Amino acid sequence: MNTEDPRHANGPYNGNGYGGHDGFDGRGGHVGYVANGAYGTQTPAAPARGTAHRGAWIGAGATLVAAVIGVVGTYMVSSGNKGNANPAPPVAQAPATATTTPGEENQGGDQAPSDPSESPEAAGSPEATHSAEVSESAEAPAPTTPPGKPAGTVEWQGALAIKYADDKDLDSAPPMESEINEDNDFGVYPWGTTRMLQPANGVKALVWKDTAKAPTYEDCAGVVDTLGTSTELKMKTGLVVCASTNDGRLARLTVKETSGQASDTMGVFDVVVWSR
């Protein structure tokens, strides 16, 4: 017998020349059979699959139970809301947070007003106050200048004393000596024993010769510009003079009294000054 035959290596002698009994090898082990009919090799056991399948079924069952519980809970909550006569008020949603661009800050968590003029700081700022004043002044109607007095209206009337070296400005009301000498209209001075009335600084004067009436504004206006001169006039009681002041006003002077000599020379007049 060929001892190199592999079948004999696993044969009844188990390679050691000693055989087993009743399917047991010489060391007490069970002798199995393999496909090639050799003896002594144990057939491997099939892998167990029952535990893996059981775990998969348990996971699927748990998922199904959770889904059923969720559906039932939703239905119960919905039914409870329908039966509640006073449902709880909806929860107010928080305002959306404004998106700020780089370089901007949203201080205090509040969104900055879109219009700077609406913010409390801008309302009380000097710039805002100035803008409000400009707006009010623009809307307010411009004050109207009262019209001047019509020409020929009496601006001043009364008694006036003119003394030597104390000239009078008839354009002021009442007439007085002006600090600006060029504004004075009339002065008096002595000439021997005669007292003279002097139209000053380009004033024109004319003696009114109609003793039956005192000249009116229209009477003086018709003759003073064409016949009046700046020549001195001898003062005497009752003399009436039409004059045009250096501001263009018409005036009437009536001599009521004369007195004094030299530096005490004086004349008292009844004066009417009309507006231009």
Side-chain angles (χ1 to χ4, degrees):
M1 180 170 55
N2 188 3
T3 59
E4 294 179 359
D5 189 346
R7 291 176 296 179
H8 295 285
N10 299 317
Y13 301 95
N14 195 24
N16 293 321
Y18 300 97
H21 300 280
D22 296 328
F24 292 91
D25 60 7
R27 295 183 294 273
H30 180 270
V31 179
Y33 297 90
V34 294
N36 57 7
Y39 299 96
T41 304
Q42 185 178 0
T43 303
R49 296 182 182 180
T51 302
H53 289 173
R54 190 182 310 141
W57 280 109
I58 292 174
T63 303
L64 180 60
V65 170
V68 171
I69 292 174
V71 172
V72 173
T74 303
Y75 176 78
M76 293 178 65
V77 171
S78 176
S79 300
N81 289 338
K82 291 181 179 179
N84 188 2
N86 296 318
V91 179
Q93 296 182 354
T97 303
T99 303
T100 58
T101 58
E104 294 181 347
E105 288 187 24
N106 194 4
Q107 298 179 355
D110 297 331
Q111 183 178 2
S114 58
D115 188 358
S117 64
E118 296 177 358
S119 64
E121 292 79 6
S125 62
E127 292 80 3
T129 304
H130 177 69
S131 300
E133 292 176 355
V134 172
S135 176
E136 291 178 0
S137 62
E139 295 177 358
T144 57
T145 303
K149 295 180 180 180
T153 303
V154 175
E155 290 193 354
W156 187 84
Q157 181 175 7
L160 176 66
I162 303 177
K163 298 179 180 180
Y164 175 71
D166 184 18
D167 297 353
K168 292 292 187 287
D169 178 13
L170 300 186
D171 293 305
S172 61
M176 62 183 60
E177 183 179 11
S178 174
E179 295 180 357
I180 302 174
N181 185 59
E182 289 77 7
D183 290 341
N184 293 318
D185 296 301
F186 283 96
V188 297
Y189 68 94
W191 181 259
T193 57
T194 305
R195 304 175 182 95
M196 308 292 296
L197 176 65
Q198 173 67 55
N201 303 311
V203 172
K204 292 183 178 181
L206 172 70
V207 175
W208 180 258
K209 295 183 178 179
D210 187 356
T211 56
K213 57 172 280 191
T216 62
Y217 169 83
E218 290 76 12
D219 293 334
C220 289
V223 295
V224 72
D225 289 335
T226 56
L227 301 177
T229 66
S230 297
T231 305
E232 302 90 348
L233 303 174
K234 292 181 180 180
M235 290 191 300
K236 62 179 182 180
T237 301
L239 179 70
V240 178
V241 177
C242 286
S244 175
T245 69
N246 49 31
D247 277 350
R249 291 179 176 82
L250 293 177
R252 184 185 67 205
L253 292 82
T254 302
V255 179
K256 294 297 184 179
E257 180 184 345
T258 64
S259 62
Q261 296 291 329
S263 59
D264 294 332
T265 301
M266 181 183 68
V268 178
F269 303 86
D270 179 21
V271 177
V272 177
V273 180
W274 293 287
S275 62
R276 20 177 211 186

